[in-house]
Amino acid sequence: MKKIFFFTFLFVLATLVACRKDSSKEPSSGNGGGDKPQPEWTKSDNFILVQLAMASNTLGCTVSDIAAFEEDGWMVSSNLIYLHLEKTIENVDVVMNCYLNGDTVFHTTCSMSSLVPGTLLANLSYAKAAVETLTSQFVMTTSEVCDFRLMSYKEISEDKNKHVTSFDEALALIDKEDYSYTIFWTDYASTNYEELSDGIWFGSMSGLNLGILKSPGNDCIVSIDITSKQYQ
């Protein structure tokens, strides 16, 4: 079980309140933003990838940067161990939690779930297209290069995970409803599920953990964990 350990965040509460009073600047990222060429996948209009880009661009942000997201319609609050952002986009509830090392975001989670049936997340093929666009080598908006390492998948009615280490095989498998899929890209060469999961969570490696859950008759639930060890 993952253990969450963080520093005192009382100053975050005070800082966040203060930052909300002055949100004249647009949300910016400490990872270089427009100063660096953006990876090809960020140019996609796929809803999942658009939200991934948003989550990725929080890496390196300060507390005041995150507070400024309110200007773009995000609800921003503080939960002692992370900064919480939420926004409804095209009938999808998008929730981000930004974890900080001091005053800088190093790890962000993002979840997408439909508020009504039949949204953009209705088809598993849409999620699969997002994975295909990322390709086997994923370049983060921080310019860090991460390779596909592992996909874990299982039938929802079972409790047994299966793993594949071939990107092409992973793409071929993402076509079964009533299955869950967890896909890893990292800058660390490992195919150990727990090592990859923990490394991304705690920031010892840079990478992306993309989860897809699809049950018959329901839209997909998509989850993202993205981390840059540059800020840990």
Side-chain angles (χ1 to χ4, degrees):
M1 180 173 290
K2 299 183 179 71
K3 299 177 182 176
I4 300 178
F5 61 94
F6 287 99
F7 327 107
T8 178
F9 276 75
L10 293 179
F11 80 96
V12 172
L13 293 171
T15 306
L16 183 57
V17 171
C19 289
R20 285 179 177 174
K21 295 178 181 178
D22 181 16
S23 57
S24 58
K25 65 177 180 177
E26 294 183 3
S28 62
S29 161
N31 63 25
D35 295 331
K36 295 180 180 178
Q38 292 297 291
E40 283 298 317
W41 65 267
T42 63
K43 301 171 186 177
S44 170
D45 61 359
N46 181 289
F47 184 85
I48 296 170
L49 296 184
V50 171
Q51 306 318 313
L52 170 60
M54 179 65 70
S56 185
N57 282 327
T58 66
L59 300 174
C61 280
T62 64
V63 175
S64 58
D65 292 330
I66 298 299
F69 276 64
E70 287 187 319
E71 286 188 347
D72 196 36
W74 292 85
M75 293 186 295
V76 182
S77 60
S78 178
N79 181 315
L80 294 180
I81 59 173
Y82 55 80
L83 302 178
H84 179 86
L85 296 87
E86 188 165 354
K87 185 178 182 181
T88 299
I89 307 171
E90 298 188 52
N91 287 317
V92 175
D93 189 27
V94 182
V95 177
M96 292 197 297
N97 291 323
C98 301
Y99 295 84
L100 298 101
N101 179 6
D103 191 42
T104 305
V105 176
F106 77 96
H107 173 79
T108 293
T109 66
C110 178
S111 65
M112 289 160 256
S113 56
S114 299
L115 298 175
V116 297
T119 69
L120 289 168
L121 303 181
N123 298 314
L124 188 61
S125 60
Y126 192 78
K128 181 176 181 178
V131 176
E132 190 169 13
T133 299
L134 293 175
T135 73
S136 62
Q137 189 170 82
F138 167 62
V139 181
M140 296 172 60
T141 58
T142 57
S143 296
E144 294 166 277
V145 177
C146 302
D147 291 314
F148 169 81
R149 300 301 182 190
L150 177 76
M151 184 173 82
S152 177
Y153 68 104
K154 70 175 181 178
E155 191 170 357
I156 296 171
S157 60
E158 295 184 354
D159 194 32
K160 183 178 181 180
N161 287 286
K162 299 177 182 178
H163 301 100
V164 297
T165 56
S166 161
F167 184 72
D168 290 339
E169 187 177 350
L171 278 179
L173 286 166
I174 306 175
D175 60 1
K176 299 178 181 178
E177 295 190 351
D178 235 358
Y179 272 71
S180 64
Y181 305 90
T182 305
I183 306 148
F184 290 93
W185 291 260
T186 71
D187 69 340
Y188 185 80
S190 174
T191 55
N192 180 286
Y193 180 91
E194 292 298 332
E195 186 175 31
L196 293 172
S197 181
D198 288 347
I200 289 176
W201 185 264
F202 293 118
S204 60
M205 63 181 74
S206 296
L208 167 66
N209 175 352
L210 177 65
I212 305 165
L213 174 65
K214 179 70 170 75
S215 296
N218 297 321
D219 290 5
C220 291
I221 297 174
V222 178
S223 64
I224 290 168
D225 282 90
I226 189 162
T227 298
S228 173
K229 66 183 182 186
Q230 291 180 7
Y231 304 106
Q232 175 59 292

